[in-house]
């Protein structure tokens, strides 16, 4: 299947600093990328949808100024957690969808490995 | 109202036996897709199987099969010949369009599967 790579796998940062998480599609062009947050023992919560070259669409209740999303190319989207606080500690995971292709490339099937963020 | 319902918070199965994980969904769309994912303790989300709403045959991928009953709006995952490595959380998800016609996945709460030796 298609490969989506997310980096870093885990990060510890100090309160008040910013953290950038990268999501790359390695073998296909991802016109749309999705960013999720997952609390322990819970399901995935969609934070935002980003389309290449345009502004991200944020879900209700997600602070767009705190969670900055950039999708500048067809293979890279970034999520920046600005002025991180301990309550931002969570597991963040992205998925990517291609377009114009047949089969699963045109679905939301493929996820990155996830990033475990701890803010101290 | 929950659009994806996974009624089994936890399941146990004996190694080498088959297990069925339940998933029911609710949508008024004619075109939708159903996904199953496996999430081990490492956190990665592993795609297992996909069923499109217009697919007439049940999807199969190796030891995984999806029992798709459209009229009942159920999409149960069947794992045959369970292995110890199958112990993980399993999520059912449905792709549909929101009010803005954007495609997104709606997720169930998951089922924790433990395979006993």
């Amino acid at each position: 299947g298609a490969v989506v790579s997310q980096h870093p796998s885990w990060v510890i940062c100090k309160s008040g600093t910013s953290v950038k998480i990268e999501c790359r599609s390695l073998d296909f062009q991802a016109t749309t990328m999705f960013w999720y947050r997952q609390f322990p023992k819970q399901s995935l919560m969609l934070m935002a949808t980003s389309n290449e070259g345009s502004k991200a669409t944020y879900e209700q209740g997600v602070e767009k100024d705190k969670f900055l999303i950039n999708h500048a190319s067809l293979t890279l989207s970034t999520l920046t957690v600005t002025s991180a606080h301990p309550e931002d500690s969570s597991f963040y995971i992205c998925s990517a969808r291609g377009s114009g292709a047949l089969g699963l490339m045109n679905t939301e099937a493929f996820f990155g490995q996830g990033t475990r963020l701890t803010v101290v | 109202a929950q659009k994806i319902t996974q009624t089994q918070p936890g399941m146990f199965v004996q190694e080498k036996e088959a297990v069925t994980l339940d998933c029911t969904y609710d949508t008024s769309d004619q075109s939708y897709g159903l996904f199953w994912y496996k999430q081990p303790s490492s956190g990665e989300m592993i795609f297992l199987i996909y069923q499109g709403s217009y697919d007439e045959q049940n999807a199969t991928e190796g030891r995984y099969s999806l029992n798709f009953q459209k009229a009942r709006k159920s999409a149960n995952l069947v794992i045959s010949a369970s292995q110890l490595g199958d112990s993980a959380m399993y999520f059912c998800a449905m792709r549909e369009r929101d009010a803005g016609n954007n495609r997104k996945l709606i997720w169930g709460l998951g089922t924790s599967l433990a395979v006993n030796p």
Side-chain angles (χ1 to χ4, degrees):
Chain A
V3 180
V4 178
S5 176
Q6 189 172 337
H7 179 81
S9 300
W10 59 270
V11 58
I12 301 173
C13 72
K14 289 186 177 180
S15 189
T17 62
S18 295
V19 174
K20 181 183 283 189
I21 302 169
E22 293 186 348
C23 181
R24 293 181 184 273
S25 57
L26 298 186
D27 55 358
F28 70 102
Q29 293 187 323
T31 50
T32 306
M33 287 191 176
F34 303 87
W35 287 96
Y36 294 88
R37 182 174 181 174
Q38 186 180 30
F39 292 102
K41 299 189 186 304
Q42 293 191 23
S43 189
L44 274 68
M45 180 187 78
L46 180 65
M47 298 174 66
T49 302
S50 74
N51 292 298
E52 185 264 337
S54 61
K55 288 185 179 180
T57 302
Y58 289 81
E59 294 299 301
Q60 195 171 9
V62 177
E63 299 175 63
K64 59 182 69 176
D65 293 333
K66 172 169 242 343
F67 299 101
L68 300 179
I69 291 172
N70 184 280
H71 192 165
S73 79
L74 284 171
T75 58
L76 174 64
S77 176
T78 60
L79 167 67
T80 301
V81 183
T82 63
S83 186
H85 290 287
E87 57 265 30
D88 299 325
S89 298
S90 192
F91 186 69
Y92 296 88
I93 192 165
C94 67
S95 74
R97 183 176 77 213
S99 70
L102 296 176
L104 288 173
M105 295 287 187
N106 195 24
T107 71
E108 294 78 352
F110 303 106
F111 280 76
Q113 302 91 325
T115 298
R116 203 165 297 279
L117 170 64
T118 302
V119 185
V120 298
Chain B
Q2 201 56 284
K3 285 204 161 191
I4 293 285
T5 304
Q6 293 181 253
T7 57
Q8 308 147 314
M11 288 279 286
F12 292 93
V13 65
Q14 208 63 30
E15 192 179 7
K16 298 180 185 176
E17 291 186 351
V19 63
T20 298
L21 305 184
D22 295 341
C23 174
T24 57
Y25 59 93
D26 183 24
T27 182
S28 56
D29 288 355
Q30 295 301 309
S31 177
Y32 53 90
L34 297 156
F35 299 76
W36 275 95
Y37 293 88
K38 171 185 177 181
Q39 188 178 40
S41 56
S42 59
E44 58 186 313
M45 196 66 74
I46 302 168
F47 165 75
L48 296 178
I49 199 165
Y50 169 79
Q51 179 89 36
S53 58
Y54 294 117
D55 296 340
E56 294 187 351
Q57 293 204 329
N58 287 341
T60 60
E61 288 286 349
R63 294 187 299 112
Y64 305 106
S65 60
L66 199 151
N67 185 359
F68 182 46
Q69 298 191 35
K70 197 169 181 177
R72 293 185 178 182
K73 293 188 175 179
S74 76
N76 298 339
L77 176 71
V78 180
I79 305 174
S80 62
S82 297
Q83 301 172 357
L84 296 178
D86 293 335
S87 295
M89 279 292 289
Y90 288 81
F91 290 98
C92 178
M94 175 176 67
R95 183 192 69 224
E96 67 166 17
R97 293 187 184 272
D98 64 12
N101 205 34
N102 300 304
R103 282 166 47 180
K104 57 179 65 172
L105 290 183
I106 311 297
W107 294 83
L109 296 179
T111 295
S112 177
L113 176 67
V115 180
N116 297 324

